[in-house]
Amino acid sequence: MKLLEKTNRTYLLLSGTAFIMASLIIYLALSMIFDSQLKEKMYDSKMHVIQSIQRFGIILNDPPFVEVKENLKGNSEYEKNVDTLIFDSAEKENIPYRQVISSSLINGKYYQIIIRNTLIEKSDILITIITVLGFVFALLLLSLNILNRRISLKIWKPFYLSLDNLKKFSLENSDFVLTSSGDIEEFSQLNATLEKLTKKIISDYQSLKRFTEDASHEIQTPLSVIQSKLENILQFPEIKKEQAESIQAAFTATTRLSKLTKALLFLAKIENNQFEDSEKINFSIIVSNQIELLKDFIAEKSLTVSVRLEDNFILKSNYLLTESLATNLLGNAVRHSIPDGNIHIGLTNGSFRISNTGAPLKVPTEKLFNRFYKVNMTSDSPGLGLSIVNKICEVNNWKLDYKVENDLHTVTVTF
Amino acid sequence: MKILIIEDEIELLSSMSDYLVSEGSLVETACSFFKAEDALSVYNYDIIILDLTLPGGNGLDLIKLIKEKNRHAGLLIVSARNSLEDKVRGLDMGADDYISKPFHLAELNSRIKSLVRRRHFSGLTELVFNELKINTETLEVTVNGTVAEMTKKEFDIMLYFFVNRNKVITRDSLAEHIWGDSLSYADNFDFIYSHIKNIRKKIELKGGKNYIHNVYGIGYKFSDR
């Protein structure tokens, strides 16, 4: 819910309650006033009737408002209020009347005096009150709303400005600033805090990246020492088979570690935008060269490869990145293809498509592009190939798609 | 052949030195910028191996010095920073080749030999091993004077064996030399075996001996011993 909507709702709820309460109070008060006035007026009429009999012996009769008659059987004075309905022949409806029926002893005779007065219909009063008050409240709400909107626009403007700026926040953009927030202290504080926060995030991110890069570099030298020592041991003529096998295993492990750090370094460099030089690249040639390089592995697995390459498919990008994209995707297809499987490679209509027959994925496809994500946990590969591909597509604004259909895994890069 | 190795990691320095000495080279070492400066100002070398990340100064500065004092030396750069900029700058400044850490000693040796061949072009295009001869210019392998037809990969494997003769060469090292980075997409090394088998067959067909010996299933040794 938006801020303005929220305040409006609160206003509506409050004024609604006030409206109902005010209507009720006014109604009750008016009723009371009407009643007491009516009572006074009817008392006056009764006095008038009595006086005219006392002084002039005239019996006033004005039905249905005043009805006076001598009550021969009367023996006491009383007064009672009985409301009644009287049919009005002119309006053809029953009209409510208040009537005071009294018996009075005047000049030694008892008279029955009936004073009547039309009652104002309560529903009429209520409707009037609701209409008038409703109008007033509606006017009030409307003006409040307009006012609120204006104030919001003005007061909250810096807030929305900061919000827009924050939406543009990116870890890669190290010179992120929130624009000034005007004279409202809360917003200034908010901005200051946010700025501190984003600066911290950016600097943490940068140092993490630097750490990855430095660590990867630093690991290479000790690895070289290990590898060269192992290679030297292997040259001793008296070495035994078991020793040779252990050395080989250690060798393989160092190679793995070295490849892992190199891949991490490569990723870090892509993220640092260290591959900014772009040139015109004949992607068709890159792809066919890579296929040529993989020939031995394709033959080893007895894979059937069908290739459909558009000639001279030109891309404008970084050469190393483009080559890495092709190597990774083609290599993955070969690696993950089942023996005697099929690989289809297509470079047509602005997209590069590679399919291979493989075992069905047991995992959600989104995870496939995550770092160190391995479909096969026993695999020697560090699981960075697809995240490198993903990163390359990201920096080049290429679209990367992956889908599985009938054991056919297809990766599509749309340029 | 006189080689100077400039490398600050002493253990790596000794490994490289041992390997190259056993190959019959005369090796001198320098483990810092200043020692390298000293060595360079006194002696002449055929090959200089230079680690770019040196304490006491940037290795790239040393390249300038090498180009002044040792113009004729072949320069091979070693770097832990597998970065393109270093490579491009190094090569621009006159380095002849670039190898990134970690590397196989056999690979280093192969690079040095190739550098020597390129530097001293005449007379070194042919390598001889008993009845086998390999020509790096025509890319031909001959057995007792008759050509044994080989594919480019088979020739490269032969050349790697020739320059690293009498040494145990691991399959990793051989595979990385021939297939490079695409190697990581192979599930096993069986494909090397079939290449080796083909080479042996082709040489034996021309009456040559099999000098490629299996070493405990971890690699090969090209030797007549």
Side-chain angles (χ1 to χ4, degrees):
Chain A
M1 194 187 295
K2 278 197 165 187
L3 193 70
L4 202 63
E5 210 176 311
K6 183 100 186 163
T7 38
N8 277 346
R9 277 195 194 192
T10 318
Y11 277 140
L12 204 68
L13 200 76
L14 265 173
S15 53
T17 319
F19 169 66
I20 292 167
M21 297 230 319
S23 307
L24 219 70
I25 290 167
I26 293 172
Y27 171 70
L28 289 175
L30 276 180
S31 301
M32 264 167 63
I33 293 165
F34 280 144
D35 277 357
S36 70
Q37 285 217 329
L38 199 63
K39 206 170 164 187
E40 243 170 68
K41 192 180 159 198
M42 285 165 80
Y43 179 76
D44 285 350
S45 303
K46 188 182 153 190
M47 283 302 122
H48 187 64
V49 169
I50 293 171
Q51 271 173 15
S52 70
I53 296 172
Q54 270 177 344
R55 289 190 196 159
F56 315 109
I58 299 168
I59 294 172
L60 293 172
N61 246 333
D62 179 18
F65 301 105
V66 181
E67 279 178 40
V68 185
K69 58 183 181 203
E70 211 177 332
N71 187 1
L72 298 172
K73 284 175 250 164
N75 52 7
S76 64
E77 283 194 322
Y78 60 85
E79 188 179 288
K80 56 183 179 191
N81 285 333
V82 186
D83 286 355
T84 185
L85 289 170
I86 292 171
F87 187 77
D88 186 334
S89 52
E91 286 189 38
K92 292 204 166 104
E93 62 172 344
N94 284 325
I95 289 176
Y97 278 86
R98 164 134 312 166
Q99 69 181 0
V100 178
I101 303 170
S102 56
S103 172
S104 301
L105 184 64
I106 306 163
N107 298 339
K109 285 180 189 165
Y110 282 100
Y111 292 89
Q112 190 197 41
I113 305 165
I114 299 174
I115 310 287
R116 292 197 184 97
N117 210 318
T118 47
L119 275 174
I120 301 167
E121 279 181 79
K122 302 241 162 146
S123 59
D124 285 349
I125 303 176
L126 205 59
I127 286 165
T128 314
I129 291 170
I130 287 173
T131 315
V132 173
L133 274 186
F135 178 71
V136 171
F137 271 105
L139 205 69
L140 198 71
L141 260 181
L142 195 73
S143 45
L144 257 178
N145 198 341
I146 292 169
L147 199 71
N148 230 330
R149 226 170 260 269
R150 292 226 169 145
I151 292 173
S152 291
L153 273 184
K154 214 173 145 192
I155 289 181
W156 289 92
K157 196 176 173 191
F159 176 81
Y160 288 116
L161 221 72
S162 305
L163 199 65
D164 277 347
N165 275 326
L166 267 183
K167 278 181 192 158
K168 287 179 210 137
F169 175 73
S170 138
L171 279 173
E172 308 296 342
N173 182 8
S174 53
D175 42 282
F176 175 79
V177 265
L178 285 165
T179 31
S180 68
S181 58
D183 54 356
I184 297 169
E185 205 191 321
E186 283 86 344
F187 290 153
S188 305
Q189 276 178 11
L190 181 74
N191 274 6
T193 317
L194 277 176
E195 230 168 82
K196 224 167 99 184
L197 203 68
T198 49
K199 281 213 176 93
K200 176 95 179 90
I201 291 172
I202 289 172
S203 82
D204 278 4
Y205 179 70
Q206 302 280 6
S207 54
L208 186 69
K209 277 203 300 193
R210 212 167 306 127
F211 172 79
T212 315
E213 216 178 317
D214 290 348
S216 305
H217 283 144
E218 292 306 320
I219 287 168
Q220 302 302 337
T221 301
L223 275 178
S224 319
V225 174
I226 298 172
Q227 270 202 11
S228 65
K229 291 295 167 195
L230 290 172
E231 223 173 324
N232 270 350
I233 298 173
L234 275 181
Q235 307 309 331
F236 292 128
E238 60 271 26
I239 201 157
K240 292 191 179 65
K241 187 172 193 291
E242 289 78 10
Q243 292 168 331
E245 279 165 358
S246 296
I247 292 167
Q248 170 64 28
F251 229 127
T252 310
T254 53
T255 309
R256 246 174 94 180
L257 188 55
S258 155
K259 285 203 172 117
L260 167 69
T261 50
K262 277 182 180 163
L264 275 178
L265 192 60
F266 190 58
L267 260 176
K269 280 182 180 167
I270 302 173
E271 279 169 1
N272 283 342
N273 293 322
Q274 283 179 16
F275 296 105
E276 277 181 327
D277 315 337
S278 93
E279 53 189 303
K280 275 190 180 164
I281 296 159
N282 192 330
F283 195 56
S284 313
I285 292 177
I286 289 185
V287 173
S288 42
N289 282 348
Q290 288 301 322
I291 295 171
E292 187 61 33
L293 273 176
L294 289 168
K295 241 176 154 176
D296 282 305
F297 314 132
I298 291 167
E300 181 66 34
K301 272 187 148 176
S302 321
L303 305 174
T304 312
V305 181
S306 71
V307 186
R308 231 180 66 201
L309 293 185
E310 213 170 76
D311 278 343
N312 298 320
F313 188 96
I314 305 292
L315 282 178
K316 203 172 178 304
S317 179
N318 181 281
Y319 187 84
L320 276 179
L321 291 188
T322 317
E323 194 185 54
S324 168
L325 178 97
T327 316
N328 273 302
L329 286 179
L330 291 167
N332 264 339
V334 173
R335 171 193 270 276
H336 295 295
S337 190
I338 47 172
D340 304 312
N342 296 306
I343 294 181
H344 307 286
I345 300 162
L347 181 61
T348 45
N349 299 328
S351 71
F352 181 42
R353 185 189 310 261
I354 301 172
S355 314
N356 70 284
T357 40
L361 269 190
K362 294 182 204 81
V363 292
T365 52
E366 319 82 82
K367 280 197 177 171
L368 218 55
F369 299 108
N370 287 0
R371 281 182 193 193
F372 298 114
Y373 196 80
K374 292 193 203 177
V375 176
N376 176 8
M377 287 318 273
T378 56
S379 153
D380 270 1
S381 121
L384 285 171
L386 278 181
S387 42
I388 287 177
V389 169
N390 194 25
K391 204 79 225 169
I392 292 172
C393 288
E394 213 176 282
V395 297
N396 280 299
N397 279 324
W398 296 335
K399 198 167 154 271
L400 181 63
D401 265 326
Y402 169 84
K403 67 168 191 266
V404 197
E405 258 171 1
N406 306 328
D407 286 359
L408 198 66
H409 301 253
T410 306
V411 178
T412 312
V413 180
T414 313
F415 303 107
Chain B
M1 190 165 46
K2 210 167 168 188
I3 301 174
L4 172 66
I5 310 174
I6 307 167
E7 162 68 59
D8 60 307
E9 185 67 46
I10 302 293
E11 287 303 327
L12 183 59
L13 188 62
S14 78
S15 292
M16 286 156 78
S17 165
D18 287 354
Y19 197 97
L20 296 175
V21 165
S22 74
E23 282 288 306
S25 299
L26 190 66
V27 180
E28 281 182 24
T29 59
C31 58
S32 73
F33 190 91
F34 306 108
K35 284 187 179 152
E37 270 184 326
D38 284 352
L40 283 170
S41 50
V42 180
Y43 301 107
N44 277 316
Y45 301 93
D46 300 309
I47 297 288
I48 296 167
I49 302 167
L50 169 65
D51 186 342
L52 281 183
T53 44
L54 274 183
N58 191 332
L60 289 170
D61 294 336
L62 265 185
I63 297 181
K64 272 184 224 154
L65 194 72
I66 291 167
K67 287 292 132 186
E68 277 169 32
K69 310 250 171 176
N70 253 293
R71 272 190 305 123
H72 301 294
L75 177 56
L76 175 65
I77 288 176
V78 175
S79 174
R81 303 196 159 254
N82 183 23
S83 71
L84 195 68
E85 303 90 87
D86 272 6
K87 186 175 178 175
V88 169
R89 269 171 68 199
L91 295 180
D92 275 355
M93 288 175 77
D96 298 287
D97 203 355
Y98 178 100
I99 190 169
S100 69
K101 287 183 187 175
F103 49 81
H104 297 275
L105 292 175
E107 177 68 31
L108 177 76
N109 187 37
S110 145
R111 299 283 188 101
I112 290 172
K113 294 282 164 66
S114 143
L115 200 54
V116 172
R117 281 199 304 275
R118 272 187 280 154
R119 288 257 138 189
H120 312 278
F121 198 67
S122 55
L124 274 166
T125 53
E126 256 188 4
L127 302 172
V128 184
F129 188 81
N130 295 349
E131 72 269 29
L132 302 181
K133 225 183 255 175
I134 187 165
N135 190 314
T136 55
E137 204 179 355
T138 58
L139 306 184
E140 270 175 351
V141 178
T142 50
V143 185
N144 289 324
T146 48
V147 175
E149 289 293 337
M150 292 207 181
T151 63
K152 175 78 172 64
K153 270 182 191 141
E154 285 163 359
F155 179 84
D156 287 343
I157 293 171
M158 277 307 281
L159 183 57
Y160 201 60
F161 280 144
F162 256 78
V163 298
N164 287 300
R165 64 185 72 168
N166 297 323
K167 289 269 189 280
V168 176
I169 296 166
T170 60
R171 277 176 318 193
D172 293 70
S173 161
L174 180 60
E176 213 173 287
H177 178 72
I178 309 290
W179 285 272
D181 281 343
S182 53
L183 187 69
S184 44
Y185 299 106
D187 288 332
N188 54 50
F189 286 119
D190 290 352
F191 57 92
I192 297 178
Y193 178 70
S194 55
H195 280 286
I196 300 286
K197 207 169 71 183
N198 286 339
I199 293 173
R200 279 176 181 152
K201 219 187 283 168
K202 284 175 181 177
I203 290 175
E204 277 165 12
L205 205 69
K206 301 284 174 191
K209 274 198 216 155
N210 173 30
Y211 297 114
I212 307 171
H213 307 291
N214 284 344
V215 180
Y216 305 134
I218 64 161
Y220 301 95
K221 191 169 182 176
F222 188 73
S223 164
D224 54 1
R225 274 173 267 161

